[in-house]
Amino acid sequence: MTDVEKLIAAFNNTFPDAPAPRVCRAPGRVNLIGEHTDYNGLPVLPMTIDRDVAVAFAPRPDSTIRLRSSTHDYPEREFVNGPDIVPSEGGIWDNYCKAAVQGLNHHFDVSRFPGMDMCVAGDIPTAVGLSSSSALVVACALAYLALLGKTLESDITRLELAELAADAERYVGTRGGGMDQAIILLGDKGAACKIDFYPLRAERVSLPQDGAIVICNSLVKAAKSGNMLHRYNEGPLTCRLIRAMVEKHLQEHWDPEIEINCLGALWNGMLCLTDREAESVFEQTFPGKTTTLSEAGTFLGLSPEAIRERWLEDLEEPKEGFRLKARARHQRTEYRRVESARDMMLAGDAAALGELMNASHQSCAEDYRISCPELDTLVALARQEGALGARLTGAGFGGCTVNLVPAGEVERFCESIEHAYYRERLAQQTSVPRRDYILRAETSPAADYI
Ligand code: NG1
């Protein structure tokens, strides 16, 4: 966790003429189960971790927002606050601050745009699926909220701020759901949370006492910019097409009045489908392994161009067509696994939770295709070394695995994985500090002011 005294000293050094700063922090998160489901309004089960982003901030007399990294790891940035803040190029870190400021400006209908000096520190490994970017958005949002003279809870609730931050972060181009911002603002020390959407709500669920969470970094960076952003967005964009086709199927075969605003509405809305019913709807809607754009067009009575414009944006069509059937299956089975995981956690059944995590990895790898060889290797090693459950966590394509390890075995587990996975790989990557690649994660309090 960030050393606040050091952060304040860095702030004072960087901005010697600024008033005394206030400080806020936001933790990272690890998702235990429920991957790529949040953007369909389906539940997820993440927990906060004991790594965070902290921001020291103080008002300025003008409208400039100056952003500095306490350790100079990121370039100095500044921008003028105003009604329409233009995003910086993809991958530049001030976008996360701009996203938060713009989101709150719109929410509170701000007409006088204050400026601030901000110094940022943090210890969440970046671009590995532990939500360093959402933690930065939330920390910046808390700072700017205070600058506007607004108070968390009385002027905006945590639930509202979580929804606002999730919307705001789409400013950087991701089409993500709201899991990260929700757990960062609604999580707590001592428990994971099952998070549901539409309406957003969070239920505390304790980890089984005999299980510990260990996160292993595959060392494959998965920053959501450039090609990776594209690969991540493939999930949300194809699910939009799945939603439209399933809705059409239901209208033709069940009731012409049916509308589903997201895939989650199949289970959570008026329809309340059983797993069997959902399976059969998907089977009928997607009879083939793949669906070409032209097949989807015939099914929906729309031209391929219209489909692209409405749902797929610039997503390229794979030669063999989109794998909608397998993607829909992942949504259905992952939804069931999250619900069961919550039940198993409440029952304190670590072994059953572990099995669900293993099944989730298989579905992520085979049906959703978001794994990579390094993640698969780490997962296999973890199981070999006694993890009750091991799976990729976060957006995928690299990043981390999350492992449920018998509490008494953590030291031995970490040493074995260190030996089997990292020793050779890190011989070439000496710059990675050990605590960045294998970490025993504890829960931490939600984002707040210090
Ligand atoms: P990470 O792993 O932090 O990049 C992303 C999305 C989540 C969720 C997961 C996959 C953002 C900010 N985060 O998380 O909403 O969809 O992938 O489960 O888009």
Side-chain angles (χ1 to χ4, degrees):
M1 306 272 271
T2 303
D3 181 330
V4 174
E5 275 176 25
K6 268 196 191 160
L7 172 63
I8 293 176
F11 179 95
N12 291 333
N13 238 341
T14 317
F15 304 113
D17 301 327
R22 282 187 73 184
V23 178
C24 56
R25 66 169 286 280
R29 68 98 181 93
V30 64
N31 190 20
L32 302 179
I33 195 160
E35 221 59 83
H36 280 256
T37 52
D38 58 350
Y39 47 72
N40 290 319
L42 286 166
V44 290
L45 218 165
M47 67 180 222
T48 51
I49 57 172
D50 47 345
R51 299 293 180 92
D52 65 5
V53 168
V55 177
F57 60 97
R60 287 176 52 82
D62 58 15
S63 288
T64 302
I65 295 191
R66 293 200 290 179
L67 205 53
R68 302 288 184 267
S69 145
S70 74
T71 47
H72 311 286
D73 291 340
Y74 296 92
E76 299 182 356
R77 303 291 301 178
E78 60 185 62
F79 59 93
V80 177
N81 190 7
D84 264 311
I85 304 168
V86 182
S88 308
E89 229 172 87
I92 296 187
W93 72 302
D94 63 358
N95 274 334
Y96 298 104
C97 180
K98 289 180 170 183
V101 170
Q102 174 118 313
L104 285 166
N105 280 342
H106 288 172
H107 180 81
F108 288 110
D109 214 358
V110 169
S111 53
R112 290 185 56 237
F113 300 92
M116 62 179 161
D117 287 327
M118 306 171 82
C119 189
V120 180
D123 63 351
I124 309 172
T126 55
V128 290
L130 300 179
S131 278
S132 57
S133 57
S134 299
L136 179 57
V137 171
V138 171
C140 289
L142 287 180
Y144 189 59
L145 195 63
L147 196 75
L148 291 174
K150 308 283 183 193
T151 314
L152 188 59
E153 310 291 6
S154 48
D155 291 304
I156 184 166
T157 65
R158 283 181 176 269
L159 282 168
E160 285 167 340
L161 187 59
E163 284 186 327
L164 182 150
D167 267 355
E169 197 168 330
R170 296 192 187 108
Y171 175 95
V172 303
T174 47
R175 298 280 171 268
M179 157 166 66
D180 304 349
Q181 303 80 1
I183 186 67
I184 289 169
L185 276 154
L186 304 165
D188 203 354
K189 190 154 182 61
C193 277
K194 175 171 169 260
I195 294 175
D196 284 272
F197 302 92
Y198 312 130
L200 181 63
R201 54 211 188 274
E203 175 196 10
R204 280 176 61 107
V205 195
S206 297
L207 285 160
Q209 285 197 336
D210 48 351
I213 295 299
V214 178
I215 298 170
C216 297
N217 182 338
S218 68
L219 306 177
V220 178
K221 287 261 179 187
K224 276 204 289 323
S225 53
N227 185 38
M228 277 303 175
L229 175 66
H230 206 72
R231 288 183 77 184
Y232 173 78
N233 281 345
E234 210 176 315
L237 296 179
T238 47
C239 280
R240 291 187 191 179
L241 180 58
I242 293 175
R243 186 213 61 78
M245 291 178 69
V246 167
E247 184 179 71
K248 175 89 172 170
H249 172 86
L250 292 173
Q251 287 170 345
E252 278 178 2
H253 296 88
W254 290 34
D255 182 335
E257 301 290 307
I258 288 180
E259 277 180 17
I260 51 166
N261 60 351
C262 64
L263 274 181
L266 291 177
W267 295 276
N268 301 326
M270 305 285 277
L271 287 169
C272 273
L273 297 194
T274 62
D275 189 48
R276 250 311 151 74
E277 286 168 331
E279 184 179 15
S280 132
V281 166
F282 287 158
E283 281 296 325
Q284 290 167 41
T285 311
F286 311 108
K289 252 188 168 173
T290 56
T291 310
T292 62
L293 201 51
S294 109
E295 283 166 344
T298 310
F299 187 92
L300 290 164
L302 290 170
S303 69
E305 295 70 37
I307 293 185
R308 188 166 283 294
E309 199 178 305
R310 282 195 205 184
W311 300 297
L312 296 182
E313 298 178 6
D314 57 351
L315 196 64
E316 231 172 77
E317 180 178 10
K319 255 197 235 109
E320 66 289 1
F322 295 102
R323 300 175 64 257
L324 302 185
K325 188 192 193 80
R327 281 196 186 267
R329 183 166 54 229
H330 172 76
Q331 295 299 322
R332 176 177 66 80
T333 57
E334 190 76 344
Y335 164 58
R336 298 295 334 153
R337 283 187 288 270
V338 173
E339 295 294 343
S340 305
R342 169 215 178 250
D343 294 349
M344 293 307 121
M345 283 169 80
L346 290 179
D349 190 339
L353 173 62
E355 275 171 30
L356 291 162
M357 291 169 73
N358 290 340
S360 168
H361 182 78
Q362 192 177 346
S363 180
C364 285
E366 290 170 13
D367 278 349
Y368 226 63
R369 301 252 173 118
I370 53 168
S371 192
C372 65
E374 292 82 354
L375 286 170
D376 291 341
T377 302
L378 257 181
V379 160
L381 282 173
R383 290 184 198 151
Q384 197 178 301
E385 294 306 331
L388 300 168
R391 57 181 296 277
L392 66 82
T393 185
F397 314 112
C400 294
T401 60
V402 58
N403 306 280
L404 179 66
V405 178
E409 300 273 321
V410 173
E411 268 319 303
R412 190 199 52 75
F413 176 84
C414 294
E415 267 167 35
S416 307
I417 297 286
E418 161 104 56
H419 186 83
Y421 189 82
Y422 294 102
R423 196 163 286 180
E424 212 174 286
R425 285 179 172 81
L426 287 181
Q428 285 116 40
Q429 298 191 42
T430 45
S431 62
V432 188
R434 181 188 169 157
R435 59 192 300 278
D436 270 14
Y437 58 84
I438 186 159
L439 50 133
R440 156 115 202 229
E442 301 284 354
T443 49
S444 84
D448 216 330
Y449 301 94
I450 295 177

